[in-house]
């Protein structure tokens, strides 16, 4: 049975842990608000890009691009967007569980985030490239990831490119999503809207392109893909900070409950010791009399 000294030491240790998790919760909450605002602010532009590209691609124009070429899938590339740090609940575990379902012999990975790279190394899968991105993702970081994936596809080293990331739905709900990236065949949304958005209808308007359809679409497609990756990085960061804030809050609440239970146990043990000492004193006094 532990002594009162042992219980006091454990209470002190749990209190120190609770202070750390509380501080991490506050930091994550601050970052979470900024990340959520950035992700939500980017969705209207992404929706507009999807609409414009859907209208143009669906119109009666003669345009073929290597990024739209459909091939038999012999080699598949996955852009795996994870976090750099842990302590964010089951976010990375759920993401890696989905990644583990993919065929390791025919799949090559492009990772964004240290946790994804560690998973690839631990499971001995094929890693094509490793990228990092900041708490506030930059468009240049997304452009580098997108360009590497486009190069893999156009060079024939991958017949299909998909993106596996954690979609931000709400502060309490984040879900792993596997969405197509290349070839550009269907224009779909990013984030929580992807589960509710139907395939865009073909455009019914005629467009006049200046200087020409190949020049306009040749510039529009890479920008569309770059922004698609950028929006996914924003979604992933919003999911990460939300999950970490909730995880640290749960850890703080659990620590407070443990402190409460230990304090009760300490008081019971202390009361038992006092009662025992009183009985010993009373017994001694009775024996002397």
């Amino acid at each position: 049975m532990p002594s009162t000294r042992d219980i006091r030491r454990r209470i002190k240790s749990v209190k120190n842990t609770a202070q750390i998790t509380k501080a991490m919760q506050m930091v994550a909450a601050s970052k979470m608000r900024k990340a959520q605002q950035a992700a939500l602010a980017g969705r209207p532009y992404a929706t507009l890009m999807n609409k414009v590209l859907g209208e143009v691609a669906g119109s009666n124009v003669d345009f073929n691009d290597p990024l739209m070429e459909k091939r038999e899938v012999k080699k598949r590339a996955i852009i795996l967007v994870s976090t750099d740090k842990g302590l964010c609940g089951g976010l990375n575990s759920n993401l890696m569980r989905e990644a583990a379902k993919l065929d390791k012999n025919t799949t090559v990975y492009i990772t964004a985030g240290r946790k994804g790279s560690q998973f690839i190394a631990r499971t001995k899968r094929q890693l094509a490239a490793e990228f990092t991105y900041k708490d506030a993702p930059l468009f240049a970081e997304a452009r580098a990831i997108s360009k590497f994936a486009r190069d893999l596809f156009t060079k024939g080293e991958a017949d299909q490119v998909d993106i596996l990331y954690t979609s931000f739905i709400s502060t309490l709900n984040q879900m792993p999503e596997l969405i197509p990236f290349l070839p550009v065949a269907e224009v779909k949304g990013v984030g929580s809207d992807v589960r509710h958005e139907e395939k865009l209808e073909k455009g019914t308007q005629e467009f006049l392109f200046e200087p020409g359809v190949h020049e306009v679409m040749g510039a529009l497609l890479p920008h569309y893909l770059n922004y698609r990756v950028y929006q996914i990085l924003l979604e992933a960061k919003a999911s990460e900070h939300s999950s970490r804030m909730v995880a640290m809050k749960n850890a703080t609440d659990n620590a407070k409950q443990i402190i409460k239970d230990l304090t009760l146990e300490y008081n019971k043990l202390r009361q038992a010791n006092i009662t025992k000492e009183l009985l010993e004193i009373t017994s001694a006094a009775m024996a002397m009399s």
Side-chain angles (χ1 to χ4, degrees), residues 107-138:
T107 306
V108 62
Y109 292 85
I110 304 167
T111 61
R114 190 176 297 115
K115 290 297 181 180
S117 303
Q118 293 173 354
F119 168 78
I120 299 302
R122 185 170 62 251
T123 56
K124 297 181 180 180
R125 296 171 182 265
Q126 303 178 53
L127 179 63
E130 178 181 353
F131 293 89
T132 59
Y133 60 105
K134 299 180 180 178
D135 272 342
L138 303 176

Side-chain angles (χ1 to χ4, degrees), residues 8 73 107 130 151 161 181 206 256:
R8 283 200 307 269
V73 181
T107 306
E130 178 181 353
D151 290 343
V161 181
F181 186 65
E206 293 185 2
K256 290 180 179 179

Side-chain angles (χ1 to χ4, degrees), residues 230-280:
Y230 178 64
Q231 181 63 28
I232 283 173
L233 295 184
L234 294 178
E235 297 275 342
K237 274 301 175 184
S239 299
E240 174 187 351
H241 293 311
S242 300
S243 181
R244 180 172 292 117
M245 190 274 291
V246 172
M248 291 300 100
K249 183 181 185 304
N250 291 337
T252 303
D253 293 343
N254 291 338
K256 290 180 179 179
Q257 184 61 43
I258 291 174
I259 292 172
K260 184 178 179 180
D261 295 340
L262 288 174
T263 302
L264 180 61
E265 183 181 352
Y266 171 79
N267 290 335
K268 287 181 177 179
L269 183 60
R270 183 168 172 269
Q271 185 65 42
N273 290 337
I274 292 173
T275 304
K276 181 180 178 181
E277 290 176 1
L278 288 174
L279 288 174
E280 290 176 352

Side-chain angles (χ1 to χ4, degrees), residues 13-31:
S13 175
V14 176
K15 283 183 177 179
N16 292 336
T17 303
Q19 289 178 348
I20 296 173
T21 57
K22 181 65 175 180
M24 294 182 68
Q25 175 190 340
M26 300 302 292
V27 172
S30 176
K31 292 182 177 180

